Amino acid sequence: MLVCDEFERGAMRVRTNCNRDCPDACGIVATVEDGRIVKIQGDPEHPITQGFLCYRTSRFLSRQYDERRLTQPLVRRGERLEPATWDEALDLVASKMLAVRDESGPEAIFHYRSGGSLGLMKHVTDYFFERFGPTAIKSGDICSGAGDFAQYEDFGEEDSSDLHDLLNSKTILIWGKNPFVSNVHLLPVLREARRRGIRLALIDPVRHRGAELCDPVLQPRPGGDIALALALARKLFEDGRADPAATSYCDHLDEFRASCFSRTFEEWAALADVTPQAAAQLAELYSDGPSAILVGWGMQRRKNGAATVRVLDALGAISGNVGVAGGGVSFYFKRRGAFDTSFSRGLDIAPRSIPEPLLGPGLLEAADPPVRMVWVTAGNPVAMLPESNTVERALASREMTVVVDSFLTDTARVAHVVLPTTTMLEDDDLVGAYGHHYLGHVRPVVPPPSGVKTDYEIVRELAPRVGLGGEFSEDTTHWKRRMLSKVDDKGASLEELQRGPVRNPLAPPVLFAERKFPTASGKVNLIREIDAEPPRPTAERPLLLTAISTHKGQSSQWAAAPSAGPMPLTVHPEAANGMADGDVVRLESEVGSMRVILRFDEHQRRDMALMDKGGWLGREQCANALVRAKTTDSGGGACLYDTPVRLLPDS
Ligand SMILES: Nc1nc2c(c(=O)[nH]1)N[C@H]1C(S)=C(S)[C@@H](COP(=O)(O)OP(=O)(O)OC[C@H]3O[C@@H](n4cnc5c(=O)[nH]c(N)nc54)[C@H](O)[C@@H]3O)O[C@H]1N2
Ligand SMILES: Nc1nc2c(c(=O)[nH]1)N[C@H]1C(S)=C(S)[C@@H](COP(=O)(O)OP(=O)(O)OC[C@H]3O[C@@H](n4cnc5c(=O)[nH]c(N)nc54)[C@H](O)[C@@H]3O)O[C@H]1N2
Ligand code: SF4
Ligand SMILES: [Mo]
């Protein structure tokens, strides 16, 4: 195996790529001494990484060498999970898979995969379950389902222009995004943009550090984005600043225009809870283009999530900002675009699916046949999916739940079989990025501890036990080459990727430059019917619980063990119901309650309660124990931030 070796005073430096669920997909340079990784740094030669890593991954070695890492399979015997050999564990799992398929059909087995690693090899695990079944899988997506739906619906495609094309903009709207926390390698581009005099505006109901880079900063009502975007669009139409050519590349222009004019500018601003002056100033900036909209992921995790992104798509289109350098409505970079994963057909052939946000109740309700067995790959659904207690109950009550992870997470804790797996510094894989167009190669910097296997090794060893020897006897290199078959003659072969990051040769520098869209009509499909009503708290529960990313962790994977005790909850002082900063209080929704420690911040809105996402249920730190399982308007996203809550004295 080729390793990018450079020897420097006895140490070996190895180049790999971060595979975490993050837009940045950084290049990493690891320093290895005597078989142990002693340092990891950002690859200085990677055009996006630029030599630095984020807070959470710069501290990854404490995770890598954490003594709580799992290094042998565990099998449940009564109340306890006890160590077992791989043969024992895999034989047990294989015989259950065969029995359930025989007795109830493959739809009684559910394979749940999430984003613990974004490595492309994880599609081969999906494929294994398809060849065995196909088994039941999730539909929709907890993270980006609503926005994905919106962009495909409007443009027939979901991608972005090159990241550095932002430097061709005159104005950039950062619409609901926190680059200091969740997209840190966007910061050098934004800073360069500012240096060049490009104007940056922030639209986010939460006040965060991103405001440092932006002027103006608007803090609309949560979910008020549709109203604000319609105010802007109305203003452009009124002032004659919409693109006169828009009819040639947009369908339903009249209907969209009529929606904009269904309320006055002032009414839209009021619904968004911003002043008409602020909305007018934003419209003015935006219409002085080319203007880019960077669409964050948070706002599409609300009830009108798909409509929100669709209205932003429409604003981009009618203003003439789609298909031009410096323009665009960027929600996602098509991270799998370079790869051929067509072997895995997903929902097209699945006999049954459950929308991801409804996994807990969905597993419990499924009947004829019931779901008898669940396999979890690279996810911690008990902590990260809504109604955590229901998810926990659903998994614990299956005949067998198998969890592949490297730690005893909330999910692994309730499993019947836990299989220990590699970290990103031990895995062998390929990645694309959802925040830029570079592809990367993930190589094992060190071998895993003995007793630990990659996801692929696990299915490889399981395959012959369930009658699927053939294809899964191939090695990882075979699969990587297969997935690179669309680009290996275009400068992105496996060997080229092993040498360093390569730009996806299939990605256009400016998206939709021909103004031809892969929709049915070839035009942008502007949204027609719009429900602009934002999610509202209730008189009884006046705050919307919004648990969002923190620099301290990657979802439920914390950079350092979080301190014990109640989670901090940030509210405006006037929203605290007479309680004081630092008080330990009870936070309650219709679904559940937990103790939290109050933190006051007068820069936040009075209708929001802010918490870090990723707290563990077993430590009573999990926001999802309070979040109602509900799907978004379209796309099977989750209404993660719409749950009304109130503060009560801790009795
Ligand atoms: N440090 C860190 N980085 C991460 C992650 C992490 O857990 N920790 N998670 C990763 C994952 S899974 C993903 S999907 C990506 C993206 O991760 P996300 O957490 O989705 O990233 P952002 O979109 O930057 O952040 C969400 C933003 O949406 C805003 N928001 C919430 N509601 C609304 C609303 O109604 N309107 C508007 N306009 N804004 C709203 C929040 O205030 C916040 O600024 O990043 C990844 N990066
Ligand atoms: N309330 C609330 N809930 C949220 C969010 C929110 O903002 N608020 N954010 C949502 C979003 S955007 C997302 S993407 C989801 C994230 O939800 P998950 O994807 O479930 O998030 P993680 O906690 O990162 O769990 C990933 C697990 O995979 C394991 N892992 C890492 N690498 C590998 C590997 O190679 N193989 C295997 N088998 N396991 C591996 C890790 O140890 C970790 O336990 O959560 C969602 N949930
Ligand atoms: S988590 Fe994101 S920012 Fe951090 S090292 Fe990985 S790709 Fe880079
Ligand atoms: Mo996500």
Side-chain angles (χ1 to χ4, degrees):
M1 186 199 59
L2 178 108
V3 187
C4 158
D5 296 355
E6 280 173 48
F7 289 91
E8 201 183 69
R9 282 179 268 111
M12 183 173 68
R13 300 214 298 158
V14 184
R15 190 181 246 172
T16 186
N17 216 101
C18 183
N19 68 13
R20 307 186 97 176
D21 189 346
C22 170
D24 298 0
C26 289
I28 293 179
V29 179
T31 308
V32 183
E33 278 175 20
D34 300 327
R36 192 177 167 94
I37 309 169
V38 294
K39 190 159 75 176
I40 54 172
Q41 293 163 283
D43 184 347
E45 286 163 35
H46 191 294
I48 308 292
T49 308
Q50 299 196 16
F52 75 97
L53 301 177
C54 61
Y55 178 97
R56 62 197 186 286
T57 299
S58 355
R59 288 158 180 76
F60 193 81
L61 292 184
S62 64
R63 190 170 171 83
Q64 174 75 15
Y65 295 115
D66 191 322
E67 56 187 28
R68 288 164 298 183
R69 254 192 85 180
L70 301 172
T71 53
Q72 52 186 332
L74 302 173
V75 171
R76 179 165 300 280
R77 301 191 217 281
E79 293 289 290
R80 296 166 54 85
L81 281 168
E82 291 180 356
T85 65
W86 274 99
D87 277 339
E88 230 178 307
L90 291 178
D91 287 346
L92 183 70
V93 171
S95 65
K96 190 71 186 176
M97 285 173 71
L98 291 168
V100 173
R101 187 179 65 179
D102 261 12
E103 294 158 12
S104 309
E107 61 268 43
I109 301 176
F110 193 100
H111 177 224
Y112 175 77
R113 177 164 71 83
S114 188
S117 157
L118 296 188
L120 271 291
M121 281 301 294
K122 307 302 168 193
H123 289 272
V124 184
T125 302
D126 294 349
Y127 182 55
F128 168 80
F129 284 95
E130 290 179 17
R131 295 283 286 110
F132 177 78
T135 63
I137 53 173
K138 68 169 191 177
S139 61
D141 190 78
I142 187 85
C143 172
S144 59
D148 297 335
F149 170 89
Q151 293 236 304
Y152 276 108
E153 192 70 6
D154 297 338
F155 302 131
E157 173 62 295
E158 183 185 35
D159 202 350
S160 297
S161 302
D162 272 344
L163 187 60
H164 288 100
D165 180 58
L166 286 174
L167 300 176
N168 296 317
S169 309
K170 207 163 167 192
T171 302
I172 301 172
L173 305 191
I174 303 174
W175 204 307
K177 220 174 159 64
N178 186 351
F180 279 94
V181 166
S182 52
N183 195 181
V184 293
H185 293 86
L186 177 61
L187 290 171
V189 184
L190 295 180
R191 291 194 173 111
E192 175 61 17
R194 254 172 72 105
R195 206 185 55 76
R196 296 189 188 188
I198 297 166
R199 291 153 321 190
L200 307 182
L202 177 67
I203 300 113
D204 200 313
V206 179
R207 181 78 184 196
H208 56 66
R209 247 188 101 186
E212 282 174 18
L213 295 173
C214 301
D215 183 21
V217 174
L218 276 72
Q219 223 175 329
R221 190 193 308 287
D225 307 280
I226 297 182
L228 181 58
L230 290 175
L232 263 54
R234 180 183 166 127
K235 191 97 177 76
L236 298 191
F237 283 126
E238 263 174 0
D239 297 353
R241 299 182 82 163
D243 182 7
T247 45
S248 67
Y249 57 86
C250 293
D251 282 326
H252 321 304
L253 191 62
D254 290 343
E255 284 139 295
F256 178 67
R257 195 174 191 282
S259 294
C260 297
F261 282 85
S262 66
R263 296 195 198 204
T264 66
F265 182 77
E266 289 71 21
E267 284 167 347
W268 285 129
L271 189 58
D273 198 20
V274 299
T275 63
Q277 293 75 12
Q281 185 197 10
L282 194 65
E284 188 59 38
L285 274 181
Y286 186 66
S287 62
D288 187 15
S291 299
I293 306 181
L294 301 180
V295 186
W297 296 279
M299 64 191 156
Q300 47 96 55
R301 299 187 191 123
R302 297 192 182 276
K303 74 179 179 79
N304 301 343
T308 304
V309 178
R310 293 201 65 189
V311 170
L312 295 181
D313 289 347
L315 177 63
I318 63 110
S319 61
N321 278 304
V322 170
V324 297
V329 186
S330 169
F331 175 69
Y332 186 81
F333 288 70
K334 197 174 179 179
R335 67 180 176 85
R336 300 183 195 85
F339 302 103
D340 182 0
T341 56
S342 57
F343 51 85
S344 164
R345 293 173 52 209
L347 286 170
D348 288 347
I349 55 166
R352 160 192 268 178
S353 63
I354 297 175
E356 186 174 22
L358 309 182
L359 187 74
L363 286 174
L364 290 173
E365 283 158 20
D368 300 326
V371 174
R372 297 173 54 191
M373 181 175 187
V374 177
W375 176 297
V376 178
T377 302
N380 185 5
V382 170
M384 298 315 297
L385 298 189
E387 293 184 31
S388 288
N389 291 293
T390 313
V391 180
E392 181 185 57
R393 192 152 46 86
L395 294 179
S397 57
R398 295 313 91 193
E399 290 169 37
M400 184 182 280
T401 292
V402 181
V403 173
V404 184
D405 207 305
S406 33
F407 287 89
L408 201 61
T409 62
D410 279 334
T411 306
R413 204 167 37 78
V414 297
H416 304 92
V417 178
V418 182
L419 302 175
T421 196
T422 43
T423 66
M424 69 164 161
L425 297 174
E426 298 154 359
D427 209 349
D428 188 3
D429 214 328
L430 298 170
V431 286
Y434 63 92
H436 56 78
H437 279 139
Y438 286 84
L439 314 175
H441 183 246
V442 181
R443 67 160 55 82
V445 173
V446 289
S450 84
V452 169
K453 299 181 195 294
T454 65
D455 287 289
Y456 184 54
E457 285 167 341
I458 294 172
V459 296
R460 249 183 125 178
E461 293 188 20
L462 196 54
R465 288 172 160 92
V466 296
L468 285 176
E471 281 173 289
F472 300 97
S473 61
E474 300 286 359
D475 65 6
T476 308
T477 304
H478 161 88
W479 287 101
K480 288 178 173 172
R481 287 199 197 286
R482 183 166 171 181
M483 290 191 278
L484 285 169
S485 60
K486 293 197 292 184
V487 291
D488 61 2
D489 60 351
K490 298 184 176 61
S493 65
L494 184 55
E495 287 67 25
E496 281 156 313
L497 278 176
Q498 283 170 335
R499 282 198 287 277
V502 176
R503 185 183 172 282
N504 171 7
L506 305 180
V510 174
L511 188 63
F512 308 130
E514 310 295 320
R515 290 245 167 97
K516 291 272 181 298
F517 300 88
T519 52
S521 68
K523 296 183 182 182
V524 180
N525 175 32
L526 295 180
I527 183 170
R528 282 188 275 185
E529 282 168 25
I530 306 174
D531 174 5
E533 192 49 40
R536 306 268 189 179
T538 59
E540 198 188 4
R541 296 194 177 82
L543 305 169
L544 291 180
L545 175 59
T546 305
I548 44 180
S549 294
T550 162
H551 68 281
K552 291 175 288 196
Q554 170 68 45
S555 296
S556 68
Q557 309 169 58
W558 295 82
S563 41
M567 277 294 253
L569 181 88
T570 302
V571 294
H572 189 279
E574 285 166 23
N577 214 5
M579 298 169 190
D581 194 10
D583 278 359
V584 172
V585 304
R586 186 151 287 278
L587 180 71
E588 184 225 56
S589 75
E590 247 179 35
V591 178
S593 78
M594 68 194 278
R595 276 155 32 103
V596 294
I597 180 158
L598 280 185
R599 297 267 179 263
F600 283 178
D601 180 350
E602 63 187 14
H603 300 296
Q604 301 305 341
R605 291 182 54 93
R606 288 167 179 75
D607 51 5
M608 297 182 87
L610 303 173
M611 202 194 277
D612 289 344
K613 78 170 177 184
W616 286 33
L617 187 66
R619 298 182 185 131
E620 283 191 70
Q621 295 182 331
C622 178
N624 281 321
L626 276 65
V627 175
R628 166 75 75 206
K630 259 169 70 178
T631 50
T632 49
D633 47 357
S634 298
C639 302
L640 290 174
Y641 312 141
D642 283 356
T643 302
V645 288
R646 65 176 165 185
L647 301 171
L648 299 171
D650 182 36
S651 49

